[in-house]
């Protein structure tokens, strides 16, 4: 049975920057939770960041891959550079995924850690752009397919299938 790494906030844990959850009420989440498939993590909390905490964004319209490569900065709205904390959280999430054998993850879109289709542009104005968060970029670089709360249905046909090696290294 495939296990799925999932953002803790989607399961109701109040770990987001604002101290709230982003609970996902979906029949698939309920089913997968009952089956014991879900492995919960908040990369930011795992890295030691507090809850609540100032909002953080990757600056200059860059994305998680740029953070991994060291060519971008992830700052809190206060101006504090939290790039290293986000990198630490991403590596903790990857280590957990590897330890549990997770080929898939469901992460919160828009987050500078977990965004998979979009993140905020670094201006702290609410503007967003296509891109990935740091954890998503690291997981996908290491063969873990990442889905958002809006793309759960795309995960269903992949679960418990013997994927070829090319499919595993999305």
């Amino acid at each position: 049975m495939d296990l799925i790494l999932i953002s803790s906030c989607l399961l109701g844990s109040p770990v987001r920057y604002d101290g709230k959850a982003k609970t996902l009420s979906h029949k698939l989440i309920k089913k997968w939770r009952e089956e014991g498939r879900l492995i919960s993590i908040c990369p930011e909390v795992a890295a030691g960041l507090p809850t609540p905490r100032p909002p953080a964004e990757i600056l200059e319209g860059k994305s998680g891959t740029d953070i991994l490569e060291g060519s971008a900065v992830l700052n809190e709205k206060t101006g504090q550079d939290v790039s290293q904390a986000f990198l630490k959280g991403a590596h903790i999430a990857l280590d957990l995924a590897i330890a549990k054998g997770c080929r898939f993850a469901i992460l919160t879109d828009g987050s500078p850690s977990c965004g998979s289709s979009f993140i905020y542009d670094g201006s702290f104005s609410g503007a967003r752009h296509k891109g990935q968060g740091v954890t998503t970029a690291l997981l996908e670089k290491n063969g873990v397919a990442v889905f958002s709360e809006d793309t759960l249905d795309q995960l269903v046909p992949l679960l418990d299938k013997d994927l070829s090696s090319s499919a595993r290294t999305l």
Side-chain angles (χ1 to χ4, degrees):
M1 175 175 69
D2 279 322
L3 299 180
I4 306 165
L5 196 68
I6 186 168
S7 294
S8 298
C9 64
L10 295 176
L11 294 178
S13 295
V15 294
R16 291 172 46 90
Y17 76 93
D18 57 6
K20 297 179 181 175
K22 189 177 180 182
T23 307
L24 182 58
S25 297
H26 193 286
K27 64 183 179 184
L28 288 173
I29 296 299
K30 182 180 182 205
K31 176 181 186 273
W32 294 334
R33 182 180 255 174
E34 289 170 357
E35 292 173 351
R37 287 184 188 265
L38 302 178
I39 306 298
S40 175
I41 188 165
C42 174
E44 295 157 31
V45 171
L49 292 173
T51 303
R53 57 191 166 273
E57 296 184 7
I58 301 171
L59 301 184
E60 300 174 3
K62 295 193 173 188
S63 70
T65 301
D66 299 306
I67 297 293
L68 295 176
E69 294 170 352
S71 63
V73 178
L74 203 160
N75 278 0
E76 290 180 336
K77 192 172 186 177
T78 63
Q80 181 173 339
D81 183 344
V82 289
S83 302
Q84 291 307 309
F86 277 72
L87 283 166
K88 179 180 178 183
H91 283 280
I92 292 169
L94 176 61
D95 289 347
L96 180 60
I98 291 169
K100 297 291 186 177
C102 298
R103 299 186 297 165
F104 307 106
I106 302 167
L107 303 179
T108 309
D109 221 355
S111 159
S113 285
C114 300
S116 58
S117 69
F118 76 91
I119 56 173
Y120 293 91
D121 73 353
S123 67
F124 296 95
S125 66
R128 55 192 215 182
H129 67 97
K130 185 176 177 156
Q132 297 178 323
V134 180
T135 299
T136 295
L138 185 63
L139 289 173
E140 289 199 340
K141 180 180 177 184
N142 286 278
V144 178
V146 178
F147 298 82
S148 76
E149 61 271 30
D150 296 322
T151 60
L152 295 180
D153 293 336
Q154 295 174 18
L155 174 55
V156 173
L158 302 176
L159 288 174
D160 302 322
K161 301 290 186 233
D162 184 19
L163 301 177
S164 70
S165 61
S166 62
R168 284 188 199 157
T169 57
L170 300 171

